[in-house]
Amino acid sequence: MPDITINDRGAVLIDKALTIDGHSTNPLRVVTHIHSDHVRDLSKSVNHCRGVVATPLTLDWLIELGHKVGKGNCLKLDYGSKIKIDGLEVTFERAYHIPGTSQVVTTDGDGLKTVYTSDFKKPGKGTPIVDCDVLIIDAVYGNPSHIREFDDYIEDVLTDLVRQLLSKGPVVIQGYHGKLQEVMQVLRANGVDAPILLTPKVYRLTQVAEKHGLKVSNYVSVDSEDGAEVMRTKWFLMMDHVNSRYSRNLNGFKASKILLSGWEFKKPYRYLGYSKWLVAFSDHADFKGLMDYVINSNPKLVIVNSVRSSYADLFADAVRRTAKKECVVMP
Ligand SMILES: [Zn+2]
């Protein structure tokens, strides 16, 4: 079996060759996507690893977010392309999470395949389920009660709410980088055509993502002349990072706000008061989705990464009982 450990920072170490989403002394560092819990200790890896690898969009987004990954040992790897490091073959497979996210597939000298899923949703639909010998999974929603029955139609729920609120005035959507870009693409695909105002950082990240195939169109930066023009029309959608203060300055507009959160299991959306709504739009599979991946990837061993899981032990128990798989929790 491959030699796998997970350190207390959540880094996945495979065969003294690879370190995924955290730093170690292994020579190749992979970054699966830009979320902060997956880019831990990246500067250490840039300085000490032989190589740092990510998809082209992830690497360009990391640069935009201020990480020093522009040159030297940093390498862009497309989905489906292969790289070899100390006898281990490494391939990226798509993951439906935020744009640029990859699952990491390794094959060792004995032909044994290991998959680290990273974050994902819609297994078998947007996220390919990879057949493997060892499956490493972050059970973000590892509690059997973490089930969102409405996951399959949440995009339509969000679209309908946005449309309804736009008929009354401006709408602000708050979420994390990556999710905001995904949501814009979903709304455009569903026919929402209001101009989109973006805060400066979200604007730059969206421009970068468009170069890699994201489809949004008709968006402007809030601090541009076009942005001021759009604001005067009082009919727009604004996308803002959840920790940013930008949209707080919109008080004069009577804007409706939508907060995107995955930690909501009872209802697809609810009113929070003060023109604010919560939509249970998640970028993570719920408990059922996680279990679906485990069963259908057909692994001999499942490893649950406790650093990025909630209820890792509970999830491991469920894997043993329901999927009848050998399962360990690390670290
Ligand atoms: Zn993530």
Side-chain angles (χ1 to χ4, degrees), residues 1 112 132-135 297-302 325-327:
M1 277 300 212
L112 291 171
C132 57
D133 298 290
V134 182
L135 176 70
S297 60
N298 206 25
K300 295 181 184 75
L301 173 68
V302 179
K325 300 283 179 194
E326 192 184 333
C327 183

Side-chain angles (χ1 to χ4, degrees), residues 3 24 45 75 101 122 127 167 187 197 199 227 252 278 284 288 305 308 310-311:
D3 174 21
S24 78
S45 298
L75 187 76
T101 306
K122 298 187 190 290
T127 300
S167 70
L187 292 174
L197 268 179
T199 52
L278 184 142
H284 296 275
K288 263 195 315 192
N305 184 349
R308 296 194 197 91
S310 64
Y311 305 96

Side-chain angles (χ1 to χ4, degrees), residues 33 35 37-38 97 119 284:
H33 65 290
H35 282 155
D37 54 330
H38 295 260
H97 176 54
D119 292 337
H284 296 275

